[in-house]
Amino acid sequence: MSQIQVHDKYFKPYIDENTLQERITAIAAQLSEDYKGKKPLFVAILNGSFMFAADLFKRMTIDVELCFIKLASYKGTKSTGNVITAIGMDTDIFSRDVIIIEDIVDTGKTLSEFLPQLEHQQPASLSIVSLLHKPDATVFPIDIKYLGFSIPNKFVVGYGLDYDGLGRNLPAIYQLA
Ligand code: 5GP
């Protein structure tokens, strides 16, 4: 792997394909064990998580369902702040064991705004799987039960993550050089 260019920026190899796949296999094994007999529902957050969700999903060895949603943020009133709506959330999660799939948790803002909405619908359980986490960027602490990799607070692309639309197709993760 060598340095690549996406738009105007250069990125260096950071997590290679094998390392990613090995970690995802381990997470899928853990999830398959923890949710045995429960038929959990994966809720994958688009766009960034589509590749991770697919690789994780196909390694699950128990019955499991999957839906994809997109989060849209718009400005609410002064008191409500930003309002997050989930587009495509058409599966009833009442009494379900729900596992949110994220590509990366950065400040934690997105999930901190979205999770209360899901909790309101009274799932049996709610946990989070994220491929990446930037602990140094935390503003809103999020309990990530299943984590791929902790990474420094530097911008990354690849494996579903983009820089201004490009870079998602890379099979590995690259870090801003
Ligand atoms: P948060 O709400 O946790 O601050 O941000 C979460 C979202 O920001 C992620 O789902 C992702 O879309 C975007 N994001 C945060 N850090 C990065 C990064 O290093 N690279 C890319 N491509 N997106 C990021």
Side-chain angles (χ1 to χ4, degrees):
M1 283 164 76
S2 49
Q3 186 159 287
I4 55 158
Q5 182 172 4
V6 181
H7 291 298
D8 56 328
K9 296 198 188 324
Y10 291 91
F11 293 83
K12 59 187 181 196
Y14 184 58
I15 307 175
D16 68 37
E17 212 175 333
N18 271 347
T19 309
L20 279 178
Q21 296 300 332
E22 272 174 23
R23 187 74 196 108
I24 293 165
T25 300
I27 296 173
Q30 186 68 58
L31 284 168
S32 299
E33 181 63 34
D34 292 356
Y35 287 85
K36 208 181 277 174
K38 287 190 166 166
K39 212 193 286 174
L41 170 69
F42 279 2
V43 176
I45 301 180
L46 291 171
N47 292 327
S49 77
F50 77 96
M51 234 183 239
F52 175 44
D55 282 341
L56 189 65
F57 194 67
K58 69 187 173 201
R59 287 176 173 77
M60 294 295 290
T61 56
I62 57 167
D63 281 351
V64 52
E65 291 178 31
L66 169 66
C67 70
F68 285 96
I69 62 165
K70 195 156 187 171
L71 297 182
S73 172
Y74 60 93
K75 267 203 172 3
T77 63
K78 221 180 205 166
S79 60
T80 54
N82 272 351
V83 182
I84 291 239
T85 35
I87 301 164
M89 188 77 218
D90 46 19
T91 311
D92 186 7
I93 63 164
F94 178 73
S95 242
R96 297 293 308 268
D97 289 290
V98 174
I99 303 169
I100 303 291
I101 303 185
E102 257 291 24
D103 50 354
I104 182 165
V105 176
D106 184 23
T107 63
K109 189 171 192 297
T110 312
L111 285 182
S112 74
E113 286 170 354
F114 180 52
L115 290 178
Q117 293 186 25
L118 290 182
E119 276 156 5
H120 191 68
Q121 296 175 48
Q122 298 178 298
S125 68
L126 185 57
S127 58
I128 294 162
V129 182
S130 183
L131 179 66
L132 305 172
H133 180 218
K134 293 179 180 169
D136 296 341
T138 303
V139 179
F140 305 89
I142 297 292
D143 179 19
I144 304 170
K145 185 149 183 215
Y146 304 91
L147 175 65
F149 304 88
S150 250
I151 64 169
N153 193 6
K154 275 193 177 176
F155 193 78
V156 290
V157 293
Y159 195 69
L161 290 136
D162 73 312
Y163 166 46
D164 203 8
L166 294 183
R168 291 193 202 278
N169 54 315
L170 298 161
I173 304 272
Y174 290 75
Q175 184 185 59
L176 195 60

